[in-house]
Amino acid sequence: MILEKGSMESNLECFLDCTTPVSPSQFLPKSEIRNLNRLWHPWEREKVEYFTLSDLWNCYDEWSAYGAGVPICLDNGETLIQYYVPYLSAIQIFTSSSSFNCLREETDSGCETRDSFSDSFSDESESEKLSRWDGCSSEDGVFEQENLWHLNDRLGYLYFQYFERSTPYGRVPLMDKISGLSRRYPGLMSLRSVDLSPASWMAVAWYPIYHIPMGRTIKDLSTCFLTYHTLSSSFQDMELEDEMGNAEKKRKEGEGISLPPFGLATYKMQGSVWVSSKSGRDQERLVSLWSVADSWLKQLRVQHHDFNYFTGIRRG
């Protein structure tokens, strides 16, 4: 099988392109533009495009069911299609207002409006949360109100977070996971990228399932990937620099909004399939993307289980 795309891109570049979601865009009504958080949207503009989280998840629907096909060129010149299934590895959604916390399943006590940290951090005291998220320290564990405002200004209000800790065989594909979580947190479907702070992000774990044509086992294709994506419109119009230092073609107005990974980690990457020796660009990109992911997690003071596992960090 010969594919022209394989000759244009390295296998790593092809994987990143084939697993990048492109969400349909919508235009924000002019009446809402003036209400945007100026800390997160400092640019004055007549038109603001955004995507809804439900549209973003739809990008993963077919991939979750059948896998995302990635053309891969082997050393012998043969080209095959390797399929990967996406799984939700981690997600944190920070919103511009605490009122979005009402987008949760109602309980006996009514709507949860407090700035609560779900999942593994739900038992922390308020002072512990502030200490971990704002980089502050407190000898007595007492914080002034202005610290809370500073935290909310910088990160926003945490609406939802989830960190997967199950083994790969105990997970369900991303679309199924989101569908289940959204029953309790409907904002996972209704929130828009303009509602989210720049601290909002997700990580997707990609596990290989099969390749076409089948028939032989190729050890290099057992590699697993962990891609990191921003969920906020704050980074939407930033031009990404490619490895040659040239700005990529700017997205045209009304086109789908692409969410290429800003960070990456890999597991079981062996051999030369993923790292082309022609220019050294693949190795540089791997190091750069891993470094950005590591820096991002440290800035948010997050312990990401999959990232630690992929990179060999063991914690007791």
Side-chain angles (χ1 to χ4, degrees):
M1 182 187 300
I2 302 297
L3 293 177
E4 183 181 353
K5 190 169 186 177
S7 63
M8 297 166 55
E9 297 179 304
S10 70
N11 291 329
L12 177 63
E13 291 170 332
C14 204
F15 170 83
L16 295 176
D17 285 347
C18 291
T19 56
T20 290
V22 180
S23 179
S25 66
Q26 301 181 44
F27 287 98
L28 192 67
K30 288 187 177 182
S31 59
E32 292 189 42
I33 294 179
R34 67 175 70 96
N35 297 325
L36 292 175
N37 186 319
R38 289 305 167 193
L39 287 174
W40 304 343
H41 304 276
W43 305 280
E44 292 290 339
R45 61 186 69 162
E46 293 184 3
K47 295 181 179 180
V48 173
E49 290 182 83
Y50 68 91
F51 61 87
T52 63
L53 290 185
S54 60
D55 281 341
L56 172 61
W57 307 136
N58 285 337
C59 297
Y60 291 91
D61 191 14
E62 186 172 324
W63 294 342
S64 295
Y66 307 108
V70 180
I72 294 176
C73 184
L74 304 178
D75 291 337
N76 62 6
E78 178 187 355
T79 301
L80 51 77
I81 308 295
Q82 175 70 51
Y83 287 85
Y84 294 84
V85 173
Y87 296 85
L88 181 65
S89 174
I91 186 171
Q92 286 187 311
I93 294 179
F94 294 89
T95 62
S96 57
S97 171
S98 60
S99 63
F100 285 112
N101 283 348
C102 289
L103 294 175
R104 291 175 174 168
E105 181 186 59
E106 289 192 6
T107 62
D108 294 337
S109 59
C111 174
E112 298 180 40
T113 57
R114 64 190 179 90
D115 191 18
S116 61
F117 281 51
S118 58
D119 281 335
S120 58
F121 302 122
S122 59
D123 295 330
E124 290 184 329
S125 68
E126 199 66 33
S127 62
E128 286 173 327
K129 295 170 192 172
L130 282 168
S131 177
R132 184 164 54 79
W133 287 98
D134 205 30
C136 302
S137 60
S138 173
E139 296 178 1
D140 301 322
V142 178
F143 283 77
E144 299 177 4
Q145 186 66 25
E146 64 183 77
N147 286 0
L148 179 59
W149 289 116
H150 175 63
L151 173 66
N152 290 335
D153 281 344
R154 190 163 70 93
L155 295 180
Y157 296 84
L158 183 67
Y159 169 72
F160 176 77
Q161 70 176 359
Y162 176 83
F163 295 92
E164 181 63 80
R165 299 185 65 87
S166 302
T167 64
Y169 298 104
R171 305 183 184 191
V172 296
L174 186 145
M175 193 62 185
D176 301 296
K177 189 68 178 182
I178 289 293
S179 295
L181 293 171
S182 65
R183 285 194 283 270
R184 183 179 178 189
Y185 296 90
L188 287 174
M189 292 296 183
S190 61
L191 284 169
R192 308 168 301 177
S193 57
V194 289
D195 300 323
L196 310 183
S197 92
S200 301
W201 64 284
M202 70 170 177
V204 179
W206 299 88
Y207 294 103
I209 48 174
Y210 62 88
H211 56 262
I212 297 176
M214 302 178 70
R216 59 194 180 96
T217 301
I218 302 174
K219 192 174 183 180
D220 290 353
L221 298 184
S222 63
T223 302
C224 306
F225 295 87
L226 192 59
T227 58
Y228 289 79
H229 308 262
T230 180
L231 299 175
S232 171
S233 292
S234 299
F235 302 110
Q236 201 165 284
D237 294 328
M238 295 178 64
E239 290 188 4
L240 298 176
E241 296 290 322
D242 67 17
E243 301 304 312
M244 298 300 291
N246 299 318
E248 294 180 357
K249 187 179 72 172
K250 195 167 184 178
R251 187 179 63 88
K252 294 180 180 179
E253 190 177 275
E255 287 184 344
I257 298 173
S258 176
L259 276 70
F262 68 80
L264 178 74
T266 63
Y267 181 66
K268 292 184 179 179
M269 179 171 281
Q270 303 167 357
S272 59
V273 166
W274 296 109
V275 181
S276 173
S277 59
K278 295 178 181 178
S279 64
R281 287 174 55 189
D282 285 338
Q283 184 62 42
E284 291 176 7
R285 193 168 191 185
L286 283 170
V287 171
S288 175
L289 288 172
W290 179 90
S291 178
V292 173
D294 183 54
S295 176
W296 179 267
L297 296 174
K298 287 177 178 176
Q299 286 186 57
L300 290 179
R301 300 193 175 191
V302 168
Q303 288 298 331
H304 183 193
H305 177 267
D306 280 352
F307 181 82
N308 293 340
Y309 188 85
F310 274 39
T311 56
I313 302 173
R314 302 291 180 259
R315 299 184 184 276

